[in-house]
Amino acid sequence: MGKDSTGGISMVNYVKYFPEDKKSVRLKMKTWIVIGWVLWVIALIIGILTVVDIFLFPGVISSQLRPVKAEELQSKPEEPQQHGSMSYNGVWRVDTERSFGSCFLIRMENGKGLFLTAKHVIQNVSQISIKSQTNTTYPANVICTVNDEDVALIRAEGFFEEGWILPLGISSNIRQGDKILVVGWPLGQSHSVTGGLVSSIISDPPRIQTDAATNPGNSGGPLISENQSAVVGIIVQSMKEAEGMHYAVPIDVAKELIRSSCPD
């Protein structure tokens, strides 16, 4: 039996003298060749990615592979929300010594903002203020309320942007089943948005019924039509005895009442 220079049996002689292991040896050799090719391909890919990360798109790949720091896992402040071109920055919180609710910016006059809200939010109180999502607070005063309806107009002097004004839609154009959004400060949570449908349109008293969730603090906030991207109602009431029955004063009614009851 042939031996190699070290005195052992060479691979060639091993296969020669032990033909039954020939297939096994070839299979092992092929396996190691495949493993070698795989490792070579992996090394090639890593090399290509390194070149790309250094020369073509510096830091892009390495930034994705770096360990995440603990502070990066903390939640960041949300960007201002909006629907279409309408910003929710115009929806503010109303605070009084008795309770709180929501209001929304409809017009600006000489550096002052005019806000619609629900009358029951600001009725029979001595102090009113409004607060933004960034906790900016301004004192406000009542311009007028409507005797026969839960609608009020308040004014605040402060910094407001034209882009915060919520456009007023046409509530007579909405139909049962239309998609709507409710934006407000339920339980003091800023810019909460819930969605639903127009459940019913009631004529006496004029109300828009919706199944979109509302809670204490939503009163005075806008009911927004997704079709119109505009306000079609003012949230005023929820049925405590029933689930999914919430009501808004149609914006057409509010506009007419404000026009006839409030000074220019």
Side-chain angles (χ1 to χ4, degrees):
M1 183 179 297
K3 296 184 179 181
D4 59 17
S5 59
T6 62
I9 299 175
S10 67
M11 181 62 68
V12 174
N13 289 328
Y14 182 89
V15 174
K16 177 180 178 181
Y17 290 106
F18 299 96
E20 66 276 7
D21 289 338
K22 187 175 182 180
K23 291 183 179 180
S24 176
V25 171
R26 288 180 176 176
L27 179 60
K28 290 180 180 179
M29 293 178 65
K30 289 181 179 179
T31 301
W32 282 110
I33 291 173
V34 170
I35 292 174
W37 273 102
V38 170
L39 293 176
W40 183 84
V41 170
I42 292 174
L44 179 63
I45 292 174
I46 293 175
I48 293 174
L49 292 178
T50 302
V51 171
V52 170
D53 190 47
I54 294 175
F55 297 103
L56 298 181
F57 303 101
V60 172
I61 298 173
S62 57
S63 64
Q64 298 298 320
L65 299 178
R66 65 177 175 79
V68 179
K69 298 179 181 179
E71 56 268 22
E72 292 178 320
L73 297 177
Q74 299 177 355
S75 60
K76 298 180 180 179
E78 293 185 0
E79 294 295 326
Q81 298 174 323
Q82 63 181 50
H83 178 69
S85 60
M86 178 174 54
S87 171
Y88 296 158
N89 284 336
V91 182
W92 289 53
R93 170 171 164 163
V94 181
D95 284 296
T96 71
E97 69 271 20
R98 188 185 64 191
S99 63
F100 63 88
S102 302
C103 65
F104 56 97
L105 182 65
I106 62 167
R107 196 164 72 237
M108 291 174 59
E109 290 183 352
N110 302 320
K112 298 179 180 180
L114 299 182
F115 294 79
L116 277 176
T117 188
K119 181 172 68 175
H120 73 266
V121 173
I122 50 82
Q123 196 171 31
N124 299 324
V125 298
S126 59
Q127 293 182 339
I128 304 173
S129 63
I130 63 172
K131 184 170 73 173
S132 73
Q133 186 184 25
T134 58
N135 292 323
T136 302
T137 303
Y138 299 125
N141 63 287
V142 178
I143 295 180
C144 71
T145 59
V146 178
N147 292 331
D148 300 328
E149 193 50 274
D150 197 357
V151 176
L153 188 64
I154 62 176
R155 176 169 51 203
E157 185 170 358
F159 175 77
F160 308 104
E161 294 186 10
E162 291 284 348
W164 298 354
I165 296 175
L166 273 70
L168 303 184
I170 303 174
S171 55
S172 59
N173 286 347
I174 65 170
R175 297 292 182 265
Q176 190 175 31
D178 283 357
K179 293 181 179 180
I180 52 85
L181 299 172
V182 172
V183 186
W185 293 68
L187 305 177
Q189 180 180 344
S190 70
H191 286 185
S192 172
V193 181
T194 58
L197 303 174
V198 173
S199 304
S200 180
I201 300 174
I202 304 168
S203 58
D204 189 20
R207 291 288 185 270
I208 300 171
Q209 180 186 333
T210 177
D211 62 352
T214 67
N215 289 283
N218 273 117
S219 291
L223 180 75
I224 298 171
S225 164
E226 288 202 19
N227 291 335
Q228 300 182 35
S229 292
V231 179
V232 292
I234 304 171
I235 298 296
V236 294
Q237 180 186 11
S238 294
M239 293 292 292
K240 297 180 180 180
E241 301 82 5
E243 186 175 342
M245 298 181 68
H246 314 283
Y247 299 91
V249 175
I251 201 65
D252 291 355
V253 174
K255 287 188 290 188
E256 182 59 34
L257 291 172
I258 292 295
R259 188 179 298 113
S260 60
S261 303
C262 297
D264 294 334

